Amino acid sequence: MPGSINRIKKHQVVCIVTKELRRYGQEVSYRIKPVLLLFFALVFSDAVTAGITHVIFVVNRTSNGGTAGKVWDDEIAPLVDKRLTVPGSASQGAAQKIPTYEVAFTTGGDSGTKISSDAYSQWLKRKPGKDDQLLVVAAGGDGTVSDVVQPFVDNERVVFGIFPIGTANELARSLGVFGLVWQQTLDVLLHGDSRRVGAYKVDACLRQDPSIKHTVYAVDEVDIGFLTKASEVKRAHDTGERPSRLLQYTPRSFIYTVAALSYAFEWFSPGLALTFDGQREASDIGLFLAYTGSSSGGFYQLFPAMTPDKARGQSLISTSKKGWKVFFQLSSHLMTGYSNLRWNEFNSVRVDHSEKAKPEVVQVDGELRLQTPADIKWVKEIFTFKVPWKKLNAATNSDQAPLPGQHE
């Protein structure tokens, strides 16, 4: 760890000096500036990649309604090709400090998990140095990020990055990566700071085979109850299983809300029982929400004080079993910040359905693979992500930050 910290500090010096040279370029003679840049490049050469020797980009072409593939091909791939090199190429042989890279495309299911795991195994076969790291970049949405991190809990040799080309990109927003131009995003991936973040460890039964217990780490959200049912309606429509004429003519950004509203007057929860940190807290629950960041859907501020590096998790629950009441409670909370939704800070929570009721679906990072009973635990600082430097992060969160579609 000390070596990694030193490399990051050295790289920050290089970035600051380079930035100042650019800012005061008119005051530095054209003869001196190249000499200074060469000097710092040689002295701090080990900081160029901050320990990263290989990068794998896991691309989900189907993200964001199928537009992510075109964004990758037209805008991002050419930038990556200019900055990195493929294994065994002439440029790699001439410049050992340039990281190698590869690109793999997800095919649905948990293919992203297998891709990242296989890439790690292949990287280890090359016998990297003890301080070398593999950078796994998820090019997609929160679901893609969730897929690639699963095999690497508390593995400090693997660092993660995000190209936010998905729909919501909640984790990217929480980490300050969302809203950058693609060139900036690539700079952050290769030279940005490293930040340890937490996730919700979810132990539950598989829906397809309830006899099998399964563990998933949620990097964005866990929800059970009314909104999960709305997700099922939307998923059935998107896959063509149960297409809806109403949703067919609804703008994509409003499909989830319309699905929730249309289902609100039909849904009635059998009731969920919650046990927070070993103490029975509530029963007859119609909604349970837990997020790693402050927002949902990009602008709904559900948990203003929550960040991915917090020591404890946070949840919102509704004690109403009627779908339309839950919908209006949540709407009031989002629009005014006031509602009778209950807030809990916790280390762990047990979610049970009543004995006579059917199991409730557990949604983890947009996936509907699990069902109750479920044990949910907040585990702090188990993954390492590349994030912007503090000054860049402050600029990203300002009103001047570019929006998706404004990427250069």
Side-chain angles (χ1 to χ4, degrees), residues 40 228 234 261:
F40 281 103
T228 304
K234 179 182 179 298
L261 180 59

Side-chain angles (χ1 to χ4, degrees), residues 339-350:
S339 69
N340 57 351
L341 292 175
R342 294 174 56 181
W343 172 85
N344 284 79
E345 189 175 50
F346 66 93
N347 293 317
S348 63
V349 58
R350 167 81 176 189

Side-chain angles (χ1 to χ4, degrees), residues 210-254:
S211 65
I212 299 177
K213 289 282 189 176
H214 190 59
T215 299
V216 180
Y217 289 86
V219 296
D220 175 37
E221 50 86 21
V222 181
D223 61 273
I224 307 171
F226 172 68
L227 290 182
T228 304
K229 295 297 182 181
S231 294
E232 287 190 286
V233 174
K234 179 182 179 298
R235 181 69 57 85
H237 169 76
D238 291 344
T239 59
E241 181 182 344
R242 291 191 301 274
S244 166
R245 185 172 298 179
L246 176 63
L247 297 182
Q248 183 178 354
Y249 297 102
T250 301
R252 182 173 178 80
S253 57
F254 292 98

Side-chain angles (χ1 to χ4, degrees), residues 122-176:
Q122 292 299 318
W123 179 70
L124 289 178
K125 289 180 180 180
R126 301 173 195 170
K127 298 181 179 180
K130 64 178 182 178
D131 292 329
D132 291 341
Q133 293 177 313
L134 171 69
L135 174 61
V136 179
V137 180
D142 294 313
T144 308
V145 180
S146 182
D147 282 346
V148 302
V149 304
Q150 298 302 321
F152 305 110
V153 177
D154 277 329
N155 188 331
E156 295 187 358
R157 303 208 69 179
V158 180
V159 182
F160 300 99
I162 307 173
F163 261 118
I165 55 178
T167 304
N169 305 299
E170 293 306 324
L171 184 61
R173 295 173 193 272
S174 299
L175 297 178

Side-chain angles (χ1 to χ4, degrees), residues 170-404:
E170 293 306 324
L171 184 61
R173 295 173 193 272
S174 299
L175 297 178
V177 181
F178 187 83
L180 305 178
V181 296
W182 297 135
Q183 182 64 59
Q184 286 179 317
T185 306
L186 188 55
D187 286 338
V188 167
L189 295 177
L190 297 179
H191 308 304
D193 291 336
S194 295
R195 180 177 174 184
R196 295 286 286 176
V197 305
Y200 293 102
K201 180 184 178 183
V202 183
D203 293 300
C205 300
L206 286 175
R207 293 182 67 191
Q208 293 182 339
D209 188 348
S211 65
I212 299 177
K213 289 282 189 176
H214 190 59
T215 299
V216 180
Y217 289 86
V219 296
D220 175 37
E221 50 86 21
V222 181
D223 61 273
I224 307 171
F226 172 68
L227 290 182
T228 304
K229 295 297 182 181
S231 294
E232 287 190 286
V233 174
K234 179 182 179 298
R235 181 69 57 85
H237 169 76
D238 291 344
T239 59
E241 181 182 344
R242 291 191 301 274
S244 166
R245 185 172 298 179
L246 176 63
L247 297 182
Q248 183 178 354
Y249 297 102
T250 301
R252 182 173 178 80
S253 57
F254 292 98
I255 286 181
Y256 186 80
T257 303
V258 172
L261 180 59
S262 64
Y263 203 66
F265 296 93
E266 302 177 17
W267 186 79
F268 184 84
S269 173
L272 297 168
L274 304 181
T275 304
F276 285 97
D277 297 329
Q279 182 176 355
R280 190 81 164 202
E281 184 72 16
S283 58
D284 292 336
I285 297 300
L287 176 70
F288 171 87
L289 294 174
Y291 283 81
T292 62
S294 62
S295 65
S296 168
F299 52 89
Y300 299 131
Q301 292 294 317
L302 291 171
F303 304 96
M306 186 62 184
T307 56
D309 54 6
K310 285 287 188 180
R312 304 184 75 192
Q314 295 184 14
S315 68
L316 283 175
I317 61 176
S318 169
T319 56
S320 176
K321 296 169 64 176
K322 296 182 179 180
W324 67 269
K325 284 188 176 181
V326 176
F327 181 86
F328 286 110
Q329 284 175 344
L330 193 59
S331 299
S332 175
H333 184 87
L334 295 174
M335 291 186 292
T336 67
Y338 296 98
S339 69
N340 57 351
L341 292 175
R342 294 174 56 181
W343 172 85
N344 284 79
E345 189 175 50
F346 66 93
N347 293 317
S348 63
V349 58
R350 167 81 176 189
V351 185
D352 289 296
H353 57 272
S354 61
E355 294 182 2
K356 297 181 180 180
K358 294 181 179 180
E360 288 287 293
V361 178
V362 181
Q363 182 170 228
V364 178
D365 292 337
E367 294 295 332
L368 304 170
R369 300 174 185 168
L370 306 177
Q371 65 182 31
T372 55
D375 289 294
I376 303 169
K377 180 181 180 180
W378 175 252
V379 187
K380 63 180 183 180
E381 299 184 354
I382 57 172
F383 299 117
T384 303
F385 277 83
K386 302 297 288 184
V387 298
W389 311 277
K390 290 182 179 179
K391 289 184 178 180
L392 179 59
N393 194 30
T396 303
N397 293 327
S398 72
D399 293 335
Q400 303 301 317
L403 300 173

